[in-house]
Amino acid sequence: MLKTTARALGAAALALLPLATTIAPAQAAETLSLHDAIEALPQAAEVRDGYERTKFRHWIDEDKDGCNTRNEVLLDEATTPPTEGPRCKLSGGTWWSYYDDQIIDGPSGLDIDHMVPLAEAWDSGASQWTAARRQAYANDLGAERSLVAVTARTNRQKADQDPAEWMPPADDAQCTYLADWTATKLRWALTVDRAERDTLRDLATGCEDTVVEYEPV
């Protein structure tokens, strides 16, 4: 979810003055068929031991522009832009929640969903990460579907479940959701368990033309 607003460009320019460190180049973006992307996922048993949501610091204001991660997603995904007030207080605007094919007026009815929930990420490898990498994951604005604005109802129905346990209710959402889920796991080198992989394989049979694009971090 690369920001192209004047505010974000200005913040990026300031960050480069002076250039005091060498920034490592991003890894090359990958494009795979959904089938091949699912097969590329490493498989391992899930381990929940030690998980606490507070171990993923989220909704930070990384670029110090007054808007935290939640509001950055809302601004980026609005179908009708909201009004931005002091301290990035948002009002008005409309959004499309693709999980349930609903149009939402105003930001209060929306949650920002971590495509792969924080607990699922922990189970799938994030338990071994540094606190800084977990924070980066929880506030990932570098990929369009790591974070997605959806109705609060569907986000809370999903909770921390993987596709073996929950899928979006909208019929047209299935292939997009599978691609987004797989891309997020590949982007962050997260694993899948056997039931999850089997479900992904099974559901993907109806998504022959779906591709998965991701950039490893």
Side-chain angles (χ1 to χ4, degrees), residues 47-58 117-123 126-127 131 134-135 138 160:
V47 179
R48 182 64 59 94
D49 295 350
Y51 170 71
E52 295 176 7
R53 188 173 176 84
T54 55
K55 291 182 177 179
F56 292 81
R57 184 176 174 229
H58 55 286
L118 301 181
E120 170 70 18
W122 178 272
D123 298 350
S127 61
R134 286 196 291 269
Q135 176 176 300
D160 61 1

Side-chain angles (χ1 to χ4, degrees), residues 31-45:
T31 301
L32 300 171
S33 69
L34 178 57
H35 173 272
D36 288 347
I38 291 168
E39 297 308 311
L41 291 165
Q43 184 171 311

Side-chain angles (χ1 to χ4, degrees), residues 52-198:
E52 295 176 7
R53 188 173 176 84
T54 55
K55 291 182 177 179
F56 292 81
R57 184 176 174 229
H58 55 286
W59 303 170
I60 64 171
D61 179 10
E62 185 174 17
D63 59 7
K64 309 301 181 187
D65 67 350
C67 293
N68 65 17
T69 303
R70 170 185 164 81
N71 283 350
E72 295 280 14
V73 176
L74 290 173
L75 287 167
D76 191 69
E77 296 190 2
T79 55
T80 303
T83 299
E84 183 179 340
R87 299 185 179 181
C88 203
K89 182 176 177 58
L90 305 181
S91 59
T94 59
W95 288 262
W96 176 57
S97 169
Y98 92 81
Y99 286 5
D100 48 359
D101 193 22
Q102 296 292 312
I103 300 298
I104 304 300
D105 294 321
S108 62
L110 293 159
D111 281 355
I112 305 305
D113 183 38
H114 290 92
M115 175 55 57
V116 175
L118 301 181
E120 170 70 18
W122 178 272
D123 298 350
S124 306
S127 61
Q128 304 303 309
W129 294 351
T130 64
R133 184 168 175 84
R134 286 196 291 269
Q135 176 176 300
Y137 176 83
N139 298 276
D140 184 12
L141 295 173
E144 289 188 358
R145 290 302 185 180
S146 290
L147 300 169
V148 57
V150 297
T151 57
R153 182 184 66 246
T154 53
N155 182 52
R156 293 164 198 183
Q157 288 172 347
K158 173 182 173 179
D160 61 1
Q161 299 176 95
D162 70 24
E165 303 159 313
W166 186 90
M167 285 290 291
D171 292 338
D172 291 342
Q174 178 170 297
C175 295
T176 299
Y177 188 79
L178 294 173
D180 292 345
W181 180 278
T182 304
T184 302
K185 285 223 160 178
L186 288 170
R187 174 171 168 77
W188 290 92
L190 294 169
T191 62
V192 292
D193 63 18
R194 179 171 295 179
E196 182 182 349
R197 186 194 295 280
D198 288 347

